[in-house]
Amino acid sequence: MELIIPILAAAVRSGTPILYATLGEVLSERAGVMNLGLEGVMLTGAYAGFAVTKATGDPWLGLVASFFAGAAITLIHAFLCITLMCNQVVSGLALVMTGYGLSALLGRSIIGETISGMASWSIPILSDIPFFGPVFFQHNPMVYVSYLLVVFLCWFIFRTRWGLNLRAVGENPRAADAMGLSVTKIRYLYTLVGGGLAGVGGGYLSVVYAQMWIEGMTSGRGWIAVALVIFGLWNPARAAFGAYLFGGVEALQLRMQAMGSSISASLLLTLPYLMTIIVLTVVSIRAGKGVKLGTPAALSVPFRREDRD
C-alpha cells in the first residue's frame, strides 16, 4: 500500500493536463468539430502560461493566459473548418505544426528557466481519509478544479438545455438549424472553449507540473487526449478515468526508472503511447462488433445552410 498510494497520487497529477485537453476536445467534438491540433494548442498554452507567470509572478494569471492563448490559436482551426469548410484533419495537423513552431520561436530565450509555480493545498478532513485522501485530496488547486469541471460538464452536457443544443448540433445540425439554433455560432463557441481548455492543460504542464519551460514539453499528450475522447465515448467522466489511467502509466514508468529498473529507459518511455495504441485497438474491435460508441453523427461534417432541404 505504501508503494501504491504515491503512484496513484502521481497518476492524478500526471493525468490532469491530459484531462483538461480531453474535456476540451469532448466539447469540440460534441459540436461536430474534430481538433487534431491539441498538441500545438497545448504547447501554445504552455508557453503563454509560463511567460505570463514569469512576468507577473501570479500562476493564476498565467493559467488564464493559457486559456486565451489556446482559444486564440484554435480560432484559426475554427475559421478554416467552420467558415471555410476545410478538411478538419488537415487543418488540425497544420495547427500542430503552427503551435509547435510558434512556441519554439517565442520560447527559445527562456528555455530551462524556472518559476515558483503553484503550491499544493490539502483539503481539510478529506485529505485525512485513509487511501483516498493522499490519492485525491493532497494536490494543487488546479487538480481540484478539474474534478469540479468533470462534474459540471457531465451535468451540462446531459442535463441542461444548452447541453441538449450542443448535442443536437453534433448529431443533426440540419434539425438544430430548423429549431432556430445557430449551428455556426454554437460550433465556434465550443471549439474555442475546447481549445481554451487544452491551452489550460498546457499551462498546467509549464506553470504547475514542471514549473519551467522546455521546448516541446507536451511530449505527445495532445495526441493521447484525442485518443481518450474515443476511449471515454465522448463522456467527461469516462474521459477522467482514461486520463488518470494514462497518468498512472506515465507515473509507473518514471518510478521504474527511479528504482533502477533493468528495462531500457527508452522502452519505458513508450509505455503511455503503447497504451494509446491498445486503447484505440480495443475501441476499433468493439465498433467492428457493432457496439454503439456514441460518436456524434455529424463529427467532421461541414454544415452548409443553403444545402438544407
Side-chain angles (χ1 to χ4, degrees), residues 91-145:
S91 177
L93 295 177
L95 195 62
V96 172
M97 304 308 297
T98 301
Y100 194 100
L102 184 63
S103 63
L105 175 65
L106 296 176
R108 61 184 177 182
S109 62
I110 56 174
I111 293 177
E113 294 191 16
T114 60
I115 54 176
S116 57
M118 185 177 290
S120 295
W121 178 65
S122 297
I123 298 180
I125 302 177
L126 293 178
S127 61
D128 297 326
I129 300 174
F131 184 79
F132 292 102
V135 172
F136 293 106
F137 303 112
Q138 295 182 10
H139 298 290
N140 62 80
M142 286 303 294
V143 173
Y144 308 137
V145 171

Side-chain angles (χ1 to χ4, degrees), residues 51-255:
V52 171
T53 302
K54 184 173 177 59
T56 65
D58 189 337
W60 289 107
L61 281 179
L63 291 167
V64 170
S66 295
F67 179 90
F68 285 106
I73 194 171
T74 302
L75 180 60
I76 300 172
H77 180 67
F79 177 72
L80 290 173
C81 298
I82 300 173
T83 301
L84 300 185
M85 303 179 191
C86 297
N87 184 288
Q88 294 184 11
V89 173
V90 175
S91 177
L93 295 177
L95 195 62
V96 172
M97 304 308 297
T98 301
Y100 194 100
L102 184 63
S103 63
L105 175 65
L106 296 176
R108 61 184 177 182
S109 62
I110 56 174
I111 293 177
E113 294 191 16
T114 60
I115 54 176
S116 57
M118 185 177 290
S120 295
W121 178 65
S122 297
I123 298 180
I125 302 177
L126 293 178
S127 61
D128 297 326
I129 300 174
F131 184 79
F132 292 102
V135 172
F136 293 106
F137 303 112
Q138 295 182 10
H139 298 290
N140 62 80
M142 286 303 294
V143 173
Y144 308 137
V145 171
S146 72
Y147 298 162
L148 296 176
L149 186 59
V150 170
V151 175
F152 171 76
L153 288 181
C154 286
W155 169 78
F156 178 84
I157 293 174
F158 301 111
R159 293 290 184 269
T160 69
R161 174 175 291 276
W162 299 284
L164 178 62
N165 292 342
L166 166 64
R167 287 182 285 136
V169 168
E171 291 291 340
N172 193 332
R174 292 190 180 184
D177 181 63
M179 291 167 54
L181 300 176
S182 174
V183 174
T184 298
K185 288 182 180 179
I186 289 175
R187 285 189 167 182
Y188 260 103
L189 173 63
Y190 290 106
T191 301
L192 296 183
V193 172
L197 289 177
V200 171
Y204 179 96
L205 280 173
S206 61
V207 175
V208 182
Y209 192 65
Q211 299 184 9
M212 66 185 302
W213 171 250
I214 305 170
E215 186 176 317
M217 66 187 305
T218 50
S219 301
R221 288 176 175 86
W223 297 111
I224 292 175
V226 173
L228 283 182
V229 175
I230 304 172
F231 174 77
L233 304 181
W234 294 266
N235 183 299
R238 292 181 177 180
F241 172 77
Y244 295 145
L245 175 63
F246 277 82
V249 173
E250 182 180 358
L252 180 62
Q253 62 94 2
L254 290 173
R255 181 58 62 94

